[in-house]
Amino acid sequence: MKRKPIKLTPTSYALLALLDRFGELTSYEIKDALETSIENFWPVPHTTAYQEPARLASGGYLSARQEKGGRRRRRYALTDAGREALRAWADDPVAAPPQLRDELLLKIFAGADPEPLVTARLAWYRRKIEEYESYLAAVKLAPGWSGPERTLRGGIKYHRKMIEVFEEMHREEEGR
């Protein structure tokens, strides 16, 4: 069967990596798995969880299987071509630089009072660290999950550092 050539995006690779990690999933299961893993460091619109798997299947990177009974959901799994594309992308030593997109900083730039914003953000970072630490405890029990474990450790360090940054901003503001 001839496959339609498609361009793979970083979000395409995110879905390939998710299916490589979790195996066969429905679009709904993909959306749920994204929310507790990749979306913590790579935002993916919810509609993508429903549209991108079909697009990747049309390019031969995923297989699609219709369930026979029940809700007759479509289940997606990584193909050999998908696995090869994922490995080639992951093994490439070049990655695009990060982008900072922070509404709190935009609001401060626009003249908002930073105090309530920073207070709420600090609480959010602390909750996020607790969330990551609970994921980390679960991942440590699963053999072969060193990539997700490293990612979680990096996320915890990032959020701790951001607490330092915002606490310093708060101290600077008080000193004015």
Side-chain angles (χ1 to χ4, degrees):
M1 181 161 131
K2 189 171 181 176
R3 297 293 182 176
K4 177 179 129 185
I6 62 170
K7 182 180 190 290
L8 297 179
T9 66
T11 298
S12 303
Y13 291 114
L15 264 66
L16 293 175
L18 194 71
L19 289 162
D20 186 45
R21 178 62 53 194
F22 292 105
E24 188 180 62
L25 299 172
T26 66
S27 292
Y28 181 79
E29 292 166 336
I30 290 169
K31 181 189 74 66
D32 278 353
L34 282 168
E35 287 175 356
T36 59
S37 62
I38 291 171
E39 282 190 1
N40 285 298
F41 55 89
W42 186 264
V44 178
H46 287 284
T47 55
T48 301
Y50 295 96
Q51 296 167 350
E52 187 68 3
R55 191 178 84 81
L56 291 171
S58 75
Y61 298 102
L62 299 180
S63 63
R65 177 180 64 83
Q66 190 84 33
E67 292 177 338
K68 298 220 185 290
R71 297 176 59 201
R72 297 184 41 83
R73 298 170 299 186
R74 188 170 301 271
R75 301 190 66 78
Y76 295 97
L78 204 57
T79 63
D80 289 340
R83 195 167 282 104
E84 287 172 24
L86 177 61
R87 286 286 46 92
W89 174 79
D91 291 342
D92 184 347
V94 177
Q99 299 175 12
L100 178 60
R101 184 179 172 101
D102 191 325
E103 188 177 17
L104 177 146
L105 295 176
L106 182 59
K107 285 185 171 193
I108 292 172
F109 178 84
D113 176 7
E115 178 71 27
L117 292 167
V118 169
T119 299
R121 179 61 59 85
L122 287 170
W124 180 85
Y125 280 127
R126 289 182 178 102
R127 286 190 310 273
K128 204 64 171 165
I129 289 170
E130 288 175 10
E131 178 186 340
Y132 285 5
E133 286 174 340
S134 71
Y135 295 155
L136 184 59
V139 164
K140 282 182 175 181
L141 299 175
W145 281 58
S146 64
E149 182 177 347
R150 283 188 219 122
T151 304
L152 286 165
R153 288 185 189 285
I156 291 167
K157 288 176 184 175
Y158 169 83
H159 289 298
R160 285 184 179 147
K161 186 55 74 177
M162 291 310 294
I163 287 172
E164 289 177 30
V165 167
F166 280 101
E167 284 176 340
E168 184 178 327
M169 279 178 65
H170 182 69
R171 284 191 301 274
E172 288 171 353
E173 195 63 31
E174 284 180 339
R176 287 185 174 209

